[in-house]
Amino acid sequence: MGSTRSAPTRSVSVGSVPTGGSTARKRRAVPWGVLALWVIVLAVAGSFAGRLGDVQRDQTADYLPAGADSTQVAKLQDKLPGGEITSLVLVYHRDGGLTAADRNAAAEQLAEITVPPGTEAAKSPAELAAADDPKDFAAVQHGPGVTSKDGATLMYAVSTAAPAKDDDAKKAFVDDVRARAADTDGMTVRVGGDGALAVDARGVFGSLDGTLMLATGLVVALLLVLTYRSPVLWLVPLVVVGAGAVCARAAVYGLATWSGITVTSQSAGIMTVLVFGAGTDYALLLVARYRDELRRNPLPYDAMRAALRGCGPALLASSGTVVAGLVCLLAADLNNIRGLGPVGAIGVLCALAAMLTLLPAILVLLGRRVFWPLIPAYGSEPRRRRRDLFAAMGSSAGKRPTAVLLTGVVLLGALALGAFHLPGALKQEDSYTTKPESTLAMGTLATAFPDRSSRPIEVMTPTGQADRTLAAARSVEGVASAERGRSGGGWTEIAVTAKAAPESADESATIGRLRAHLTGAHVGGASAQALDLADTNSHDRLIVIPLVLASVLLVLALLLRSLVAPLLLVAAVVAVWGAAMGIGGLVFGPVLGFSGLDPGLPLLTFVFLVALGVDYGIFLMHRTREETLRGAGPREAALTALRTTGGVIASAGTVLAATFAVLASLPLVMFVEMGTIIAVGVLLDTFLVRTYLVTSANLLLARRVWWPGSLSHTPQPAAGPSSALVGGPR
């Protein structure tokens, strides 16, 4: 099992390295060379990693389908004078009814904010960002005040086109309006509307990157300390995964600069979680194998070579499934989802590169002492518990594999039924766990004006047919009013107000009728965008999910040289996804009080759970295949693989679940839902599916699991009893 030393007469102390000969020089030079190379790489990458925020885009069109009607509206608006319009709604409310003094105060505030159309010239984005008064913005206009039936709420629509091309200017405009629209003597004043919602959303997204990096790092550090119980060892994977994250950020910055691919705050945040989660998983597997090899090899360099040979194929296949799944997102029509594909793939590849090069180099240079106080001495045997947990699990599965498999399948199926209780589509104002001012304003409007839209449906029509389009829009059933807006570049903007409440079924029907009757025009706005998002996500699922399944099956077939084993593993993770979605249906509405589900969530969670969840099946089945090649019988190979990989995979699954659970601490409902589903799915896969279901199926199928490979029909020569097998009858 161990390799022989080049100088047998020379004693080898713990962590020592021979000093003579070309082999000894290689053992010293290789890790130092790798470390030096990484220092150079990090020195270059560090200067670019910090600039990733410069290429992140969080405009409306960046989160919309590339070919949707509403996306065309957003792009055309951006070309109009002043760019995409910024619409606000001032909401004045007093319980019991507004007084005359309240109305006078509202009128005074409105006069401070707005100016008559055409009295101010548009300024540059820099001038607008430095504005001290909302009147400095070009042509800030307001519509007529609308009072609710109970007289308790007064609404004014306010809009300006000037700041929309610059995020800082838009924020300055919204902040200035909020500063002047202040509560007075018991009357609450809130600023809502699409412009305020966008500014509040950008404020949340802007803080995601640093928050995620810090929170994920702390979670990983804590779990590594608990896993290794060493004052030093936990720090090595953490430093290495941090190096991988720096390289990933620099690489994504370069890709975005070169190709123009869409990088949003959402995709950058998810990439951070992927780097830390997947990278730490790879580190746990490699370190566990390295520790075993240190007991068989006298020199750390040789032990690391053996460890890389043993688990390297599994790590490559594991990362390959994740990358393949993420690359399939390029087939999506949704801009931010399509951009997440290469961004996430780069993160996983950088994490893998760091764990296969930098981590081995550092561990070899530090020698055995890095494991202190539990140093694995050469020739020693690992300490065994009287009753190994995973041996006990394997024994229970081995006694009644059919009953265990059927029970697990029924349990997962029952949990999946909860998916029928998932809430409907998530509305924009319901997107936050802690509601900002804009969502509170929209909630007040929804209560005060249940039968009236508080946001316009935006129509872009060729200027030559603007009058005809305006007349046609006003004649459409469900339209309360339609007004002509700006013109430029051959296009004219028309603001349509629906009679129905925003994002209601009646308003959706009105949008559909507008699109059917307005020939040559594009219909957009926030409500139209929500419709297009739902339609596009349904289409993307039909395209991307089969691609993900096919690519993952291909990678597994190449690694395991089998068709049955890949089908077994993929079926298992699909069942896990269904069960995790079902648990979400039982928790999101009844427990957490969420009123909607992000329409892109089913696709994203499917990709991550299938691509990441199959990793643990890879580690298990690859070890099973190793044991089979060594001569173990099907039963012995399956149970030995479970016992030997159980601890490290349990640690890896816990780390991955915890890193995604960090998303649930963010103030966005979409991230809470995503983090919860993926974390629950990973835990189900780690402790139920891989341990019991896959092992039971493996025992029942025996050699047939390797069909049509040679292991399925060629018995291997007996190698005697395996000392590694603990528990479970033969």
Side-chain angles (χ1 to χ4, degrees), residues 631-656:
R635 181 184 184 84
E636 182 181 346
L639 297 179
T640 300
L642 176 61
R643 186 193 62 77
T644 55
T645 64
V648 65
I649 293 180
S651 298
T654 303
V655 169
L656 186 62

Side-chain angles (χ1 to χ4, degrees), residues 13 182 212 236 278 318 320 324 375 380 408 416 424 541 559 639 661 675 690 692 714:
S13 60
L212 271 179
V236 178
S318 172
I375 298 176
S380 65
R541 286 196 294 270
L559 172 72
L639 297 179
R690 180 193 59 82
Y692 286 108
T714 305

Side-chain angles (χ1 to χ4, degrees), residues 281-324:
D281 273 9
Y282 302 152
L284 288 168
L285 187 69
L286 179 60
V287 171
R289 190 64 176 259
Y290 175 56
R291 178 164 26 201
D292 290 342
E293 295 298 339
L294 282 172
R295 295 188 174 96
R296 304 185 183 107
N297 292 271
L299 299 174
Y301 181 89
D302 295 332
M304 182 57 72
R305 287 185 60 188
L308 288 172
R309 284 197 301 267
C311 67
L315 291 179
L316 290 173
S318 172
S319 60
T321 59
V322 180
V323 170

Side-chain angles (χ1 to χ4, degrees), residues 323-516:
V323 170
L326 288 169
V327 169
C328 291
L329 291 176
L330 286 170
D333 188 44
L334 201 58
N335 286 329
N336 61 314
I337 299 297
R338 187 172 63 249
L340 175 61
V343 170
I346 286 174
V348 172
L349 289 174
C350 288
L352 178 70
M355 294 307 162
L356 289 182
T357 57
L358 180 58
L359 179 62
I362 294 177
L363 289 175
V364 169
L365 291 173
L366 292 176
R368 298 174 190 267
R369 57 185 175 272
V370 74
F371 289 93
W372 184 88
L374 304 175
I375 298 176
Y378 172 51
S380 65
E381 291 292 331
R383 292 189 302 175
R384 299 189 185 278
R385 298 186 180 96
R386 290 184 179 179
R387 186 62 172 167
D388 186 272
L389 173 62
F390 291 96
M393 290 180 173
S395 178
S396 63
K399 290 176 181 177
R400 300 179 183 85
T402 303
V404 169
L405 181 61
L406 290 177
T407 302
V409 170
V410 170
L411 175 61
L412 292 177
L415 290 174
L417 293 176
F420 291 105
H421 297 283
L422 286 167
L426 185 67
K427 294 183 179 180
Q428 189 175 17
E429 56 263 30
D430 297 326
S431 299
Y432 305 91
T433 56
T434 303
K435 294 184 179 295
E437 180 182 344
S438 57
T439 60
L440 293 174
M442 303 306 287
T444 301
L445 288 176
T447 302
F449 303 97
D451 299 325
R452 180 185 177 91
S453 178
S454 57
R455 57 170 61 151
I457 299 170
E458 297 159 0
V459 176
M460 295 298 298
T461 182
T463 301
Q465 64 179 48
D467 292 337
R468 185 168 68 253
T469 301
L470 182 62
R474 288 171 174 168
S475 67
V476 170
E477 180 185 354
V479 171
S481 64
E483 302 297 333
R484 185 167 178 159
R486 301 167 294 163
S487 295
W491 290 87
T492 295
E493 180 183 64
I494 294 175
V496 177
T497 302
K499 295 178 181 178
E503 297 187 49
S504 63
D506 288 341
E507 190 198 38
S508 298
T510 301
I511 292 172
R513 287 191 289 268
L514 285 169
R515 286 177 167 171

